[in-house]
Amino acid sequence: MQGFATAVTPVNLLFAVVGVLLGTAIGVLPGIGPAMAIALLLPVTYGLEPTSAMIMFAGIYYGGMFGGSTTSILLNTPGESATVITAIEGHKMAKAGRAAQALATAAIGSFVAGTIGTALLATIAPWVVQFAVSLGNPSYLAIMLLALVAVTAVLGSSKLRGFAALGLGLAIGLVGLDPVSGQGRLVFGQPLLADGLDIVVVAVAIFAIGEALWIAAHLRKTRSQTIPVGRPWMGKSDWKRSWKPWLRGTAYGFPFGALPAGGAEIPTFLSYITEKKLSKHPEEFGHGAIEGVAGPEAANNASAAGTLTPMLALGLPTNATAAVMLLALMQLGVQPGPLLFEEEPKLVWALIASLFIGNALLLLVNLPMAPLWAKLLQLPRQYLYAGILFFATLGAYAVNLQAFDLVLLLVLGTLGFAMRRFGIPVLPLIIGVILGPRAEEELRKSLQLSGGDPAGLFSEPIAVVVYAIIALVLLWPLLAKVLRRLFPKAAAEVGELVEPVVVVPEAGTGTGENEEPAEVQVMDIHGPRHGGKTRR
């Protein structure tokens, strides 16, 4: 109740409204997910009191999630991999003249799932904290290593590329002075690198600059053609067909969001498969079934609430958006983890209360404004990404007011572009930058407690269990091959379920004089496959 009292003050309520509007406006723009939206808007919160800043980020978070579904439904262009499934049925509904119903079920499903997910967060997080306080340094180190390995092992089409990205992130995290000896590491004689690379600069460069350069390399010169929305509403049959998928999607989304490397891709995929199996109208799937929008959107937003549980209680980000929110907290001088609930109770409970408020505002603000957001999709891409580059540069410079940061921004932005070009996932790099130094600190403390004996790393039962899980994650490809040989029929059935989803943007058919052919995005449940040649 104290959290609600803090969150509903006029100033904080204003920040929540601004966050929802900004998050939705940026999330609606093609190719910009909630992680990039938060990274771009990090500098906006400089000078704000931490509680107000986090309330604003809560609004941006949910607004960005809803904005991504708008682009998927109207343009068939998912802003991130979690909204790929929404695009399958949502865009078919839009083409059939039911864009209003698709947007309405996405918005209401997001509200229902977000509210239930936030209630579970408020209930479960204190238990997680009590458990985490009982852990020692070896267990914490093991959990951090699990997060690093799990996030890396399940992303992208190649584990090698995932671990390459993780290595880059750990290397960037090493830049600066050694915390024990004071010895310079990877500073190359440059004094400005002694304090390490600012995490905000790294995040803005990898997300915003890298994405803008990637889009610019594939820029089409014509405007995107959007579908008229009308006033979002749902008929009686739409409500009847949507409410069960909303609840089932929530049940899928929250636990996956709370797991390391769970993310929203797998629960949205499972929700879609479930609704297809249970639907009384299976023939509509592939042609615009409302259940195929309601379930995955609910799973997506419930997963968003789930990711905040390990981020606040353990200080472990499980996806890119949580990683950027963790950066925002650290930038504000707040250290997430078990002690956060004791040291900053006002901030934590105000943040959780603001998630309820932001979720309600999302519905109240965005349902009437859906036609306006649709018009944003008609912005010419060259103007859009020029603006993104401008604000990203301004934000990076505002961190330290150092021209050197702009050089770092360009170098790391080029790295982000190269990673997208060769299909190297971005998330392991960001997770490595954040968790690398903290894992090193826990490793040193563990070895100090054991007098330098490596056996001290296995001195706690939790640590041993977690290391066993890490071994299972790493050895799973080998085990899967063995299982496929032993049970070929079952393996074939599973293989059919995880066939890649091909998403073909309607805008840009290659008929315009100055227009490139439409790009076919081949995406699996872990995101776009950028590696190799582009399929057209």
Side-chain angles (χ1 to χ4, degrees):
M1 296 311 295
Q2 184 186 11
F4 273 107
T6 304
V8 297
T9 58
V11 173
N12 287 339
L13 209 53
L14 176 64
F15 281 122
V17 172
V18 170
V20 166
L21 289 172
L22 284 174
T24 307
I26 292 183
V28 158
L29 299 172
I32 303 178
M36 186 171 167
I38 293 176
L40 272 174
L41 295 170
L42 268 176
V44 176
T45 60
Y46 287 164
L48 290 182
E49 195 253 334
T51 305
S52 300
M54 290 314 298
I55 285 172
M56 187 172 173
F57 274 124
I60 292 169
Y61 190 21
Y62 278 134
M65 298 292 282
F66 176 77
S69 65
T70 304
T71 60
S72 297
I73 290 167
L74 297 179
L75 270 189
N76 201 20
T77 307
E80 55 172 352
S81 54
T83 55
V84 171
I85 303 298
T86 304
I88 298 172
E89 300 298 331
H91 190 62
K92 289 286 195 301
M93 287 183 68
K95 287 177 68 180
R98 287 170 52 80
Q101 289 82 353
L103 286 171
T105 194
I108 298 168
S110 297
F111 169 74
V112 170
T115 302
I116 296 173
T118 307
L120 289 171
L121 165 66
T123 307
I124 293 171
W127 291 356
V128 177
V129 167
Q130 288 178 6
F131 167 72
V133 169
S134 66
L135 299 178
N137 297 111
S139 296
Y140 252 110
L141 172 64
I143 291 171
M144 286 185 181
L145 290 178
L146 173 62
L148 289 170
V149 170
V151 168
T152 302
V154 303
L155 284 173
S157 54
S158 164
K159 286 185 176 58
L160 182 60
R161 289 173 179 169
F163 280 104
L166 178 62
L168 286 169
L170 294 174
I172 291 171
L174 285 175
V175 174
L177 299 180
D178 184 287
V180 175
S181 67
Q183 181 73 29
R185 301 188 298 195
L186 301 177
V187 295
F188 305 106
Q190 175 56 256
L192 290 172
L193 289 176
D195 290 333
L197 298 180
D198 193 284
I199 302 178
V200 174
V201 174
V202 176
V204 171
I206 296 295
F207 282 113
I209 303 295
E211 186 70 21
L213 292 175
W214 174 255
I215 295 294
H218 300 81
L219 198 61
R220 291 196 292 266
K221 295 182 180 178
T222 57
R223 292 186 179 189
S224 301
Q225 298 300 310
T226 54
I227 297 167
V229 176
R231 189 169 183 79
W233 59 277
M234 290 172 65
K236 187 177 179 181
S237 64
D238 294 327
W239 281 93
K240 189 176 179 181
R241 291 176 59 179
S242 293
W243 72 271
K244 288 181 181 177
W246 289 337
L247 297 179
R248 284 192 288 261
T250 304
Y252 274 126
F254 186 84
F256 272 96
L259 291 172
E265 295 85 358
I266 296 173
T268 54
F269 177 76
L270 292 175
S271 174
Y272 181 79
I273 295 296
T274 302
E275 298 312 323
K276 192 173 181 180
K277 294 282 185 186
L278 298 178
S279 176
K280 294 179 181 177
H281 309 275
E283 72 283 353
E284 290 187 20
F285 277 79
H287 303 283
I290 195 167
E291 297 93 336
V293 178
E297 270 304 300
N300 188 9
N301 265 54
S303 173
T307 59
L308 295 177
T309 305
M311 190 201 82
L312 292 173
L314 300 174
L316 293 176
T318 59
N319 65 13
T321 311
V324 180
M325 286 191 76
L326 186 64
L327 296 181
L329 276 171
M330 293 166 67
Q331 195 70 19
L332 294 164
V334 178
Q335 186 62 49
L339 298 179
L340 179 64
F341 281 71
E342 291 181 14
E343 296 175 352
E344 300 278 358
K346 183 180 176 183
L347 183 147
V348 172
W349 292 109
L351 171 61
I352 292 174
S354 71
L355 292 174
F356 285 106
I357 294 167
N359 218 10
L361 287 172
L362 184 74
L363 193 64
L364 294 173
V365 170
N366 284 321
L367 271 181
M369 294 184 72
L372 175 63
W373 299 134
K375 288 182 180 178
L376 279 179
L377 298 171
Q378 295 178 326
L379 281 173
R381 293 278 184 102
Q382 53 266 43
Y383 300 151
L384 168 62
Y385 283 93
I388 288 174
L389 287 171
F390 172 76
F391 284 111
T393 304
L394 193 65
Y397 182 72
V399 175
N400 298 313
L401 298 178
Q402 294 273 6
F404 183 68
D405 283 343
L406 299 182
V407 177
L408 291 176
L409 190 75
L410 182 60
V411 171
L412 292 171
T414 307
L415 173 64
F417 170 76
M419 292 176 73
R420 286 165 173 81
R421 169 63 185 83
F422 294 106
I424 299 175
V426 170
L427 179 57
L429 183 146
I430 296 295
I431 299 289
V433 173
I434 296 170
L435 291 187
R438 296 172 63 194
E440 179 191 10
E441 183 183 350
E442 297 296 338
L443 173 64
R444 292 194 173 195
K445 286 180 180 177
S446 300
L447 291 175
Q448 285 170 353
L449 289 171
S450 65
D453 185 0
L457 301 177
F458 305 91
S459 59
E460 296 181 3
I462 297 293
V464 175
V465 171
V466 173
Y467 283 126
I469 295 172
I470 291 173
L472 181 63
V473 170
L474 292 176
L475 294 174
W476 176 249
L478 182 62
L479 293 173
K481 285 183 180 179
V482 173
L483 291 173
R484 273 199 294 270
R485 288 182 180 177
L486 292 175
F487 307 101
K489 187 176 179 181
E493 290 177 0
V494 173
E496 289 178 10
L497 291 179
V498 294
E499 274 295 304
V501 179
V502 180
V503 183
V504 185
E506 291 295 319
T509 55
T511 56
E513 186 178 343
N514 296 321
E515 188 179 353
E516 293 184 11
E519 183 176 331
V520 178
Q521 284 185 297
V522 181
M523 307 183 82
D524 57 24
I525 56 173
H526 302 304
R529 298 177 181 175
H530 286 318
K533 295 181 179 179
T534 304
R535 299 192 196 184
R536 298 195 180 277

